[in-house]
């Protein structure tokens, strides 16, 4: 299973990536949402899960989900944030930081 972690906090991105990779998942970590989109475009293997921070520069996690879904229609997205954003992300799953 391929999982993309997108969080502009490098330490948190690395931590989540480490934990999931240690469980046997193929993990790609990105601190820039545009870099994650470029990777989806240029890579034949699409992400199955996208874990995205809501508050990021250029694209928030919900906007990233919308663009990623156009490139990888089967991707399942989880939004993470240190503040409550459930009202802004529709029915997407949400995890509040810290977790």
């Amino acid at each position: 299973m391929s999982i993309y972690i997108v969080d502009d906090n490098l330490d948190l991105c690395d931590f989540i990536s480490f934990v999931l990779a240690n469980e046997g998942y193929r993990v790609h970590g990105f601190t820039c949402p545009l870099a994650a989109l470029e990777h989806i475009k240029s890579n034949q293997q699409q992400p199955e899960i996208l874990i995205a921070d809501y508050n990021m520069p250029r694209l928030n996690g919900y906007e990233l989900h919308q663009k990623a879904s156009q490139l990888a229609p089967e991707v399942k997205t989880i939004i993470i944030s240190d503040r409550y954003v459930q009202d802004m992300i529709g029915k997407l799953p949400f995890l509040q930081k810290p977790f």
Side-chain angles (χ1 to χ4, degrees):
M1 177 175 291
S2 179
I3 301 175
Y4 282 32
I5 310 298
V6 187
D7 194 313
D8 58 334
N9 179 323
L10 178 60
D11 292 334
L12 185 57
C13 185
D14 286 348
F15 175 73
I16 297 170
S17 296
F18 173 79
V19 169
L20 293 173
N22 198 43
E23 291 296 318
Y25 296 102
R26 287 184 313 273
V27 180
H28 300 278
F30 303 92
T31 56
C32 173
L34 298 178
L37 287 175
E38 275 305 311
H39 195 268
I40 293 171
K41 288 177 189 175
S42 65
N43 200 351
Q44 289 183 351
Q45 183 173 0
Q46 301 298 307
E48 296 172 61
I49 297 176
L50 170 65
I51 300 174
D53 184 23
Y54 183 81
N55 299 308
M56 294 185 289
R58 299 191 179 171
L59 290 176
N60 67 42
Y62 185 71
E63 294 166 333
L64 173 61
H65 157 74
Q66 291 175 316
K67 292 184 181 295
S69 294
Q70 292 173 354
L71 300 169
E74 300 297 318
V75 69
K76 307 292 187 236
T77 301
I78 301 169
I79 300 294
I80 59 177
S81 181
D82 59 355
R83 62 186 179 98
Y84 185 80
V85 297
Q86 190 69 46
D87 296 337
M88 297 176 272
I89 62 169
K91 295 183 180 188
L92 291 177
F94 170 67
L95 287 175
Q96 179 115 23
K97 297 180 201 176
F99 39 82

